[in-house]
CSV table of all heavy atoms in Angstrom, one decimal:
chain,number,residue,atom,x,y,z
B,211,MET,N,-5.0,15.5,-3.6
B,211,MET,CA,-5.2,14.4,-4.6
B,211,MET,C,-4.0,13.4,-4.5
B,211,MET,O,-4.2,12.2,-4.5
B,211,MET,CB,-5.3,14.9,-6.0
B,211,MET,CG,-6.6,15.8,-6.2
B,211,MET,SD,-8.1,14.9,-6.0
B,211,MET,CE,-8.0,13.8,-7.3
B,212,VAL,N,-2.8,14.0,-4.6
B,212,VAL,CA,-1.6,13.1,-4.7
B,212,VAL,C,-1.5,12.3,-3.4
B,212,VAL,O,-1.2,11.1,-3.5
B,212,VAL,CB,-0.4,14.0,-5.0
B,212,VAL,CG1,0.9,13.2,-4.8
B,212,VAL,CG2,-0.4,14.5,-6.4
B,213,ILE,N,-1.7,12.9,-2.3
B,213,ILE,CA,-1.5,12.1,-1.0
B,213,ILE,C,-2.5,11.0,-1.0
B,213,ILE,O,-2.2,9.8,-0.7
B,213,ILE,CB,-1.6,13.0,0.2
B,213,ILE,CG1,-0.3,13.8,0.3
B,213,ILE,CG2,-1.8,12.2,1.5
B,213,ILE,CD1,-0.2,14.7,1.5
B,214,LEU,N,-3.8,11.3,-1.3
B,214,LEU,CA,-4.8,10.2,-1.2
B,214,LEU,C,-4.6,9.1,-2.2
B,214,LEU,O,-4.6,8.0,-1.9
B,214,LEU,CB,-6.2,10.8,-1.4
B,214,LEU,CG,-6.8,11.5,-0.2
B,214,LEU,CD1,-8.3,11.8,-0.5
B,214,LEU,CD2,-6.8,10.5,1.0
B,215,LEU,N,-4.2,9.5,-3.5
B,215,LEU,CA,-4.1,8.5,-4.5
B,215,LEU,C,-2.8,7.7,-4.2
B,215,LEU,O,-2.9,6.4,-4.3
B,215,LEU,CB,-3.9,9.2,-5.9
B,215,LEU,CG,-5.2,9.8,-6.4
B,215,LEU,CD1,-5.0,10.5,-7.7
B,215,LEU,CD2,-6.3,8.7,-6.6
B,216,TYR,N,-1.7,8.3,-4.0
B,216,TYR,CA,-0.5,7.6,-3.8
B,216,TYR,C,-0.4,6.8,-2.5
B,216,TYR,O,0.1,5.7,-2.4
B,216,TYR,CB,0.7,8.5,-4.0
B,216,TYR,CG,1.0,8.7,-5.4
B,216,TYR,CD1,0.3,9.7,-6.1
B,216,TYR,CD2,2.0,8.0,-6.1
B,216,TYR,CE1,0.6,10.0,-7.4
B,216,TYR,CE2,2.2,8.2,-7.4
B,216,TYR,CZ,1.5,9.2,-8.1
B,216,TYR,OH,1.7,9.4,-9.4
B,217,GLY,N,-1.1,7.4,-1.4
B,217,GLY,CA,-1.1,6.7,-0.2
B,217,GLY,C,-1.8,5.4,-0.3
B,217,GLY,O,-1.4,4.3,0.1
B,218,GLN,N,-3.0,5.4,-1.1
B,218,GLN,CA,-3.7,4.2,-1.3
B,218,GLN,C,-2.9,3.2,-2.1
B,218,GLN,O,-2.9,2.0,-1.9
B,218,GLN,CB,-5.0,4.6,-2.2
B,218,GLN,CG,-6.0,3.5,-2.3
B,218,GLN,CD,-6.9,3.5,-1.1
B,218,GLN,OE1,-7.0,4.5,-0.4
B,218,GLN,NE2,-7.7,2.4,-0.9
B,219,MET,N,-2.1,3.8,-3.1
B,219,MET,CA,-1.2,2.9,-3.9
B,219,MET,C,-0.2,2.2,-3.0
B,219,MET,O,0.1,1.0,-3.2
B,219,MET,CB,-0.5,3.7,-4.9
B,219,MET,CG,-1.1,3.7,-6.3
B,219,MET,SD,-0.3,4.9,-7.3
B,219,MET,CE,-0.3,4.2,-8.9
B,220,VAL,N,0.4,2.9,-2.1
B,220,VAL,CA,1.4,2.3,-1.2
B,220,VAL,C,0.8,1.2,-0.4
B,220,VAL,O,1.3,0.1,-0.3
B,220,VAL,CB,2.0,3.4,-0.2
B,220,VAL,CG1,2.9,2.7,0.8
B,220,VAL,CG2,2.9,4.4,-1.0
B,221,ALA,N,-0.4,1.5,0.2
B,221,ALA,CA,-1.1,0.5,1.0
B,221,ALA,C,-1.4,-0.7,0.2
B,221,ALA,O,-1.2,-1.9,0.6
B,221,ALA,CB,-2.4,1.1,1.6
B,222,THR,N,-1.9,-0.5,-1.0
B,222,THR,CA,-2.3,-1.6,-1.9
B,222,THR,C,-1.1,-2.5,-2.3
B,222,THR,O,-1.1,-3.7,-2.3
B,222,THR,CB,-3.0,-1.1,-3.2
B,222,THR,OG1,-4.0,-0.2,-2.8
B,222,THR,CG2,-3.6,-2.3,-4.0
B,223,ASN,N,0.0,-1.7,-2.6
B,223,ASN,CA,1.3,-2.4,-3.0
B,223,ASN,C,1.8,-3.3,-1.9
B,223,ASN,O,2.1,-4.5,-2.1
B,223,ASN,CB,2.3,-1.2,-3.2
B,223,ASN,CG,3.5,-1.7,-3.8
B,223,ASN,OD1,4.0,-2.8,-3.6
B,223,ASN,ND2,4.1,-0.9,-4.7
B,224,VAL,N,1.7,-2.9,-0.6
B,224,VAL,CA,2.2,-3.7,0.5
B,224,VAL,C,1.2,-4.9,0.7
B,224,VAL,O,1.7,-6.0,0.8
B,224,VAL,CB,2.2,-2.9,1.8
B,224,VAL,CG1,2.5,-3.8,3.0
B,224,VAL,CG2,3.3,-1.8,1.7
B,225,ALA,N,-0.1,-4.6,0.6
B,225,ALA,CA,-1.0,-5.7,0.8
B,225,ALA,C,-1.0,-6.7,-0.3
B,225,ALA,O,-1.2,-7.9,-0.1
B,225,ALA,CB,-2.4,-5.1,0.9
B,226,THR,N,-0.6,-6.3,-1.5
B,226,THR,CA,-0.5,-7.2,-2.6
B,226,THR,C,0.7,-8.2,-2.4
B,226,THR,O,0.5,-9.4,-2.6
B,226,THR,CB,-0.3,-6.5,-4.0
B,226,THR,OG1,-1.2,-5.5,-4.1
B,226,THR,CG2,-0.4,-7.4,-5.1
B,227,GLU,N,1.8,-7.6,-1.9
B,227,GLU,CA,2.9,-8.5,-1.6
B,227,GLU,C,2.6,-9.5,-0.5
B,227,GLU,O,3.0,-10.6,-0.6
B,227,GLU,CB,4.1,-7.6,-1.2
B,227,GLU,CG,4.9,-7.1,-2.3
B,227,GLU,CD,6.0,-6.1,-1.9
B,227,GLU,OE1,6.1,-5.9,-0.7
B,227,GLU,OE2,6.7,-5.7,-2.7
B,228,LYS,N,1.8,-9.0,0.4
B,228,LYS,CA,1.4,-9.9,1.5
B,228,LYS,C,0.4,-11.0,1.0
B,228,LYS,O,0.6,-12.2,1.3
B,228,LYS,CB,0.8,-9.1,2.6
B,228,LYS,CG,0.8,-9.8,3.9
B,228,LYS,CD,0.2,-8.9,5.0
B,228,LYS,CE,-0.2,-9.8,6.1
B,228,LYS,NZ,-1.0,-9.0,7.1
B,229,SER,N,-0.6,-10.6,0.3
B,229,SER,CA,-1.6,-11.6,-0.1
B,229,SER,C,-1.0,-12.6,-1.2
B,229,SER,O,-1.4,-13.7,-1.3
B,229,SER,CB,-2.8,-10.9,-0.7
B,229,SER,OG,-2.6,-10.3,-1.9
B,230,SER,N,0.0,-12.1,-2.0
B,230,SER,CA,0.6,-13.1,-2.9
B,230,SER,C,1.7,-13.9,-2.3
B,230,SER,O,2.3,-14.7,-2.9
B,230,SER,CB,1.2,-12.3,-4.1
B,230,SER,OG,2.4,-11.7,-3.7
B,231,ARG,N,1.9,-13.7,-1.0
B,231,ARG,CA,2.9,-14.4,-0.2
B,231,ARG,C,4.3,-14.1,-0.6
B,231,ARG,O,5.2,-14.9,-0.3
B,231,ARG,CB,2.6,-15.9,-0.1
B,231,ARG,CG,1.2,-16.2,0.3
B,231,ARG,CD,1.1,-16.2,1.7
B,231,ARG,NE,-0.3,-16.2,2.1
B,231,ARG,CZ,-0.8,-16.7,3.2
B,231,ARG,NH1,0.0,-17.3,4.1
B,231,ARG,NH2,-2.1,-16.7,3.5
B,232,ALA,N,4.5,-13.1,-1.5
B,232,ALA,CA,5.9,-12.8,-1.8
B,232,ALA,C,6.6,-12.3,-0.6
B,232,ALA,O,7.8,-12.3,-0.5
B,232,ALA,CB,5.9,-11.7,-2.9
B,233,MET,N,5.8,-11.8,0.4
B,233,MET,CA,6.3,-11.3,1.6
B,233,MET,C,7.2,-12.3,2.4
B,233,MET,O,8.2,-11.9,3.0
B,233,MET,CB,5.1,-10.9,2.5
B,233,MET,CG,5.5,-10.0,3.6
B,233,MET,SD,6.3,-8.5,3.0
B,233,MET,CE,5.0,-7.5,2.6
B,234,GLU,N,6.8,-13.6,2.3
B,234,GLU,CA,7.5,-14.6,3.0
B,234,GLU,C,9.0,-14.6,2.6
B,234,GLU,O,9.9,-14.8,3.4
B,234,GLU,CB,7.0,-16.0,2.7
B,234,GLU,CG,5.5,-16.1,3.0
B,234,GLU,CD,5.3,-16.6,4.4
B,234,GLU,OE1,6.2,-17.3,5.0
B,234,GLU,OE2,4.2,-16.4,5.0
B,235,VAL,N,9.3,-14.4,1.3
B,235,VAL,CA,10.7,-14.3,0.9
B,235,VAL,C,11.3,-12.9,1.2
B,235,VAL,O,12.4,-12.8,1.6
B,235,VAL,CB,10.8,-14.6,-0.6
B,235,VAL,CG1,12.2,-14.6,-1.0
B,235,VAL,CG2,10.2,-16.0,-0.9
B,236,LEU,N,10.5,-11.9,0.9
B,236,LEU,CA,10.9,-10.5,1.1
B,236,LEU,C,11.4,-10.2,2.5
B,236,LEU,O,12.5,-9.7,2.7
B,236,LEU,CB,9.8,-9.5,0.7
B,236,LEU,CG,9.6,-9.2,-0.7
B,236,LEU,CD1,8.4,-8.2,-0.8
B,236,LEU,CD2,10.9,-8.5,-1.3
B,237,ILE,N,10.6,-10.6,3.4
B,237,ILE,CA,10.9,-10.3,4.8
B,237,ILE,C,12.2,-11.0,5.3
B,237,ILE,O,12.8,-10.5,6.2
B,237,ILE,CB,9.7,-10.6,5.7
B,237,ILE,CG1,9.8,-9.8,7.0
B,237,ILE,CG2,9.5,-12.0,6.0
B,237,ILE,CD1,9.5,-8.3,6.9
B,238,THR,N,12.5,-12.1,4.7
B,238,THR,CA,13.7,-12.8,5.1
B,238,THR,C,14.9,-12.3,4.2
B,238,THR,O,16.0,-12.8,4.4
B,238,THR,CB,13.6,-14.3,4.9
B,238,THR,OG1,13.1,-14.6,3.6
B,238,THR,CG2,12.5,-14.9,5.9
Side-chain angles (χ1 to χ4, degrees):
Chain B
M211 295 299 290
V212 168
I213 286 182
L214 276 191
L215 288 176
Y216 281 82
Q218 192 87 16
M219 261 169 146
V220 171
T222 312
N223 191 325
V224 173
T226 310
E227 276 176 356
K228 201 178 157 189
S229 70
S230 76
R231 307 278 165 149
M233 196 56 85
E234 300 271 337
V235 182
L236 276 176
I237 197 72
T238 55

